[in-house]
Amino acid sequence: MDIGQERVEGQAELKHAASTIPRFSPGVRSALQGYGLAASSVLMALGAALLLANYNFRGVEFPLFLMAIALTVWYAGIGPATVALALSAVAFNYFFIKPFHTLYITREDLPYYVVFLLFALLLTWFSTVRRRVERELVKSRDELQREVEIRTQQADLLNLTHDTIFVRDMNDLITYWNRGAQELYGWSPSEAIGERTHQLLRTVFPLSLEEIQLELLRAGRWEGELEHTKADGTTVVVASRWSLQCNELDKPVAILETSNDITQRKRGEEEIRTLNRELGKRTIELEATNKELEAFAYSTSHDLRAPLRHVAGYAELLQRNAAAVLDEKGTQYVSMILESAKRMGTLIDDLLAFSRIGRAETRKSVVSLNQLVREAQSEVADEMAGRKIVWNIGILPDVYGDRSMLKLAFVNLISNAVKFTGTRTHAEIAISCDERGEDGVTVSVRDNGVGFDMKYVNKLFGVFQRLHRTEEFEGTGIGLATVQRIIHRHGGQVWAESSVDGGATFYVSLSKH
């Protein structure tokens, strides 16, 4: 066997021997160390006492054994201290109480021995109590340190938010001030902590402070809008929330206040209120102006009728009585006067009807659209004389509105469709309805007439606005304006879709209730 193999086998044996050594848990090792300390401290006290006794120093054994017991109870606890007490008592009796080297105690030595035991017990008790108090203090210190760490961590987390958060005691003194409060108000924590909140911020309350405090004590919280003054003197409006903190005895000790800056929102709301007031004033002024214009239009139109009747009457008399003396051109002139007077009369009638719609009171009821459309067809029967029109009328629902006004609107729409299909050999007009939720309907009037260019759709519903020449299609340009005014008075909308030579569709939205 070579040397290397012997070395390997030797290391293996050492490992095996080491593995056979008993291993103790940390608790057992600590207990053995404590009892070892008890034995060694007593032995050291005994050796020192015997050495000093050899040099004729008497009476030192008592304090030496007490020191050994105190040392043991201080560092090892009550169990090892009890062992140290027992060992000290035996050593004290055996070596220092006559008769020496025995455990016999005479009656004369008993008080001395009892005093030693009492002193030892008192020292042990005192050391034990002090050790327990010290452990409790260490535990309290550790708990306080952990609490401080937790509170510090919470404070750091509160500093991460941009919301304003601060705490004040029941005397209104600020005890905590986060970064959000510093950013909003301008004071640092060192400047704010210790100050009175409402004096520092010059708070303006929506109610009296007493009422707010009563609500806070009753409900444990309060929220509302406050006005604060910042460090630079500017004011800010905040939505503030107060939460009451109580101790284990349910006694209020602090108030947590969080705030959000709503200054811009409040300014926006005030601007909106100002604009609404201004809009209300202008609406009243506009309504008054519209009424004046309608009254003026009605009065003017009404007053124009009389001279127009005179013009038409005298032109007819001239045509009948002077026909023999008028040449062809004169007769043509008289005919043009009569035709223009007739068109002017129609225009005045339409204008009066348009004005009356704006001034008339609506009398709403449930109206059958099926019956209304049939009546409107009858109204325009004269315009359809000698023509063949294909009608496609679907099932129409009942709506809620003024029957006479709605009838006038559909008469105008149907008349418009009949007029602009006049150039078609096969004219088609379709009237249908689409449901618009539970409360509304959309009625459409579609024709295959000449249509119009959608770039002029904005002019379609204006008064006296025409997209075709009078020579091509007669009309005053008031019919669709009348339709729009009627539908608007019913809270609906009217619009159109078309293409040149591709027909037109007019849509009307109405309410069912």
Side-chain angles (χ1 to χ4, degrees):
M1 181 181 299
D2 57 14
I3 296 175
Q5 185 176 0
E6 289 180 354
R7 182 178 298 169
V8 171
E9 291 180 354
Q11 290 177 351
E13 290 177 357
L14 287 174
K15 289 181 180 179
H16 176 71
S19 64
T20 59
I21 297 175
R23 298 179 180 272
F24 299 104
S25 64
V28 174
R29 280 202 303 271
S30 178
L32 291 176
Q33 290 173 357
Y35 289 110
L37 176 64
S40 60
S41 61
V42 172
L43 287 175
M44 289 177 64
L46 176 60
L50 291 175
L51 181 62
L52 292 173
N54 190 38
Y55 289 99
N56 295 320
F57 285 95
R58 301 294 179 179
V60 294
E61 61 276 2
F62 187 81
L64 286 173
F65 283 123
L66 290 180
M67 286 178 61
I69 295 170
L71 181 68
T72 303
V73 74
W74 186 266
Y75 288 104
I78 189 66
T82 304
V83 172
L85 175 60
L87 292 175
S88 297
V90 171
F92 184 72
N93 185 25
Y94 188 81
F95 289 101
F96 300 104
I97 295 181
K98 296 179 181 180
F100 298 120
H101 306 118
T102 66
L103 298 178
Y104 180 75
I105 302 174
T106 63
R107 182 174 295 179
E108 291 79 8
D109 295 326
L110 185 60
Y112 188 71
Y113 186 72
V114 169
V115 169
F116 170 76
L117 290 177
L118 289 175
F119 265 100
L121 289 173
L122 181 62
L123 182 62
T124 301
W125 174 82
F126 175 76
S127 299
T128 302
V129 171
R130 181 172 180 178
R131 183 179 177 84
R132 185 173 68 249
V133 171
E134 188 175 70
R135 283 199 303 269
E136 292 177 353
L137 288 175
V138 171
K139 182 179 178 181
S140 299
R141 183 197 64 192
D142 294 340
E143 291 178 352
L144 180 60
Q145 185 174 357
R146 285 195 297 273
E147 182 71 18
V148 169
E149 291 175 354
I150 292 173
R151 293 297 177 88
T152 302
Q153 185 179 11
Q154 292 174 345
D156 292 340
L157 290 175
L158 291 177
N159 272 329
L160 294 178
T161 180
H162 291 284
D163 290 343
T164 302
I165 302 174
F166 57 88
V167 179
R168 63 180 187 272
D169 61 19
M170 301 310 293
N171 293 321
D172 195 38
L173 294 177
I174 299 172
T175 59
Y176 173 76
W177 187 265
N178 82 329
R179 186 181 302 170
Q182 179 178 351
E183 291 175 354
L184 177 61
Y185 296 118
W187 286 285
S188 65
S190 60
E191 294 171 325
I193 292 176
E195 297 291 334
R196 296 190 180 275
T197 312
H198 307 314
Q199 291 181 1
L200 180 70
L201 301 177
R202 285 179 273 176
T203 309
V204 177
F205 298 97
L207 306 170
S208 67
L209 182 57
E210 290 75 12
E211 292 180 273
I212 294 176
Q213 289 174 337
L214 287 175
E215 176 66 18
L216 179 65
L217 292 173
R218 184 190 66 80
R221 61 180 60 248
W222 177 85
E223 60 181 71
E225 296 179 0
L226 302 175
E227 183 179 309
H228 287 154
T229 301
K230 303 195 313 188
D232 59 5
T234 60
T235 59
V236 61
V237 181
V238 298
S240 184
R241 293 170 296 279
W242 299 4
S243 298
L244 190 65
Q245 182 184 3
C246 299
N247 59 14
E248 60 276 4
L249 301 178
D250 202 28
K251 181 180 179 181
V253 293
I255 299 170
L256 172 68
E257 182 171 340
T258 60
S259 301
N260 291 323
D261 185 3
I262 59 170
T263 306
Q264 294 300 325
R265 192 189 79 188
K266 297 298 291 184
R267 288 175 181 170
E269 291 175 355
E270 182 59 33
E271 289 176 0
I272 291 173
R273 283 193 291 269
T274 302
L275 290 174
N276 285 337
R277 287 194 294 268
E278 186 66 25
L279 182 61
K281 292 179 181 178
R282 293 188 179 183
T283 300
I284 294 173
E285 293 174 358
L286 184 60
E287 289 176 352
T289 303
N290 284 338
K291 288 181 179 179
E292 291 175 0
L293 288 174
E294 289 175 359
F296 173 76
Y298 181 82
S299 176
T300 303
S301 301
H302 188 272
D303 292 342
L304 285 175
R305 279 183 163 184
L308 186 62
R309 283 196 298 269
H310 285 90
V311 171
Y314 283 114
E316 287 180 359
L317 289 174
L318 182 62
Q319 189 180 44
R320 287 199 304 267
N321 298 330
V325 297
L326 291 176
D327 57 10
E328 182 179 352
K329 187 172 288 188
T331 304
Q332 184 181 358
Y333 290 159
V334 173
S335 297
M336 290 177 64
I337 293 172
L338 286 173
E339 184 179 348
S340 298
K342 180 181 179 182
R343 190 184 311 143
M344 186 65 177
T346 304
L347 184 61
I348 291 174
D349 290 341
D350 289 348
L351 187 59
L352 286 172
F354 182 76
S355 300
R356 278 196 295 267
I357 292 171
R359 295 183 295 110
E361 181 182 354
T362 56
R363 298 178 180 178
K364 294 184 178 181
S365 61
V366 178
V367 179
S368 170
L369 280 184
N370 281 315
Q371 183 179 354
L372 198 71
V373 168
R374 287 196 298 269
E375 293 178 5
Q377 284 180 288
S378 300
E379 290 276 343
V380 298
D382 292 341
E383 300 175 27
M384 298 185 292
R387 294 181 55 192
K388 183 178 181 181
I389 300 177
V390 177
W391 293 88
N392 295 314
I393 301 177
I395 300 175
L396 304 176
D398 294 342
V399 295
Y400 187 71
D402 186 295
R403 195 177 193 284
S404 61
M405 288 187 181
L406 291 177
K407 180 179 176 181
L408 178 58
F410 279 95
V411 165
N412 278 291
L413 288 174
I414 293 174
S415 175
N416 198 66
V418 169
K419 178 170 58 177
F420 288 103
T421 56
T423 60
R424 297 293 191 247
T425 305
H426 301 286
E428 295 183 8
I429 299 175
I431 302 175
S432 61
C433 175
D434 292 327
E435 297 289 333
R436 183 169 52 86
E438 296 182 358
D439 297 331
V441 295
T442 299
V443 182
S444 63
V445 180
R446 181 181 291 106
D447 64 65
N448 65 338
V450 296
F452 59 87
D453 193 336
M454 283 295 288
K455 69 181 180 181
Y456 301 116
V457 70
N458 293 329
K459 294 183 176 181
L460 198 62
F461 298 98
V463 179
F464 303 133
Q465 295 292 331
R466 295 177 52 84
L467 303 186
H468 302 86
R469 291 181 300 174
T470 307
E471 292 80 4
E472 296 176 334
F473 300 96
E474 293 184 354
T476 59
I478 298 179
L480 290 179
T482 302
V483 172
Q484 186 183 58
R485 174 167 283 196
I486 291 172
I487 300 304
H488 282 180
R489 291 205 63 181
H490 284 75
Q493 297 293 328
V494 57
W495 66 98
E497 295 176 356
S498 180
S499 61
V500 177
D501 206 37
T505 304
F506 288 83
Y507 298 93
V508 172
S509 64
L510 293 169
S511 175
K512 294 169 63 176
H513 304 290

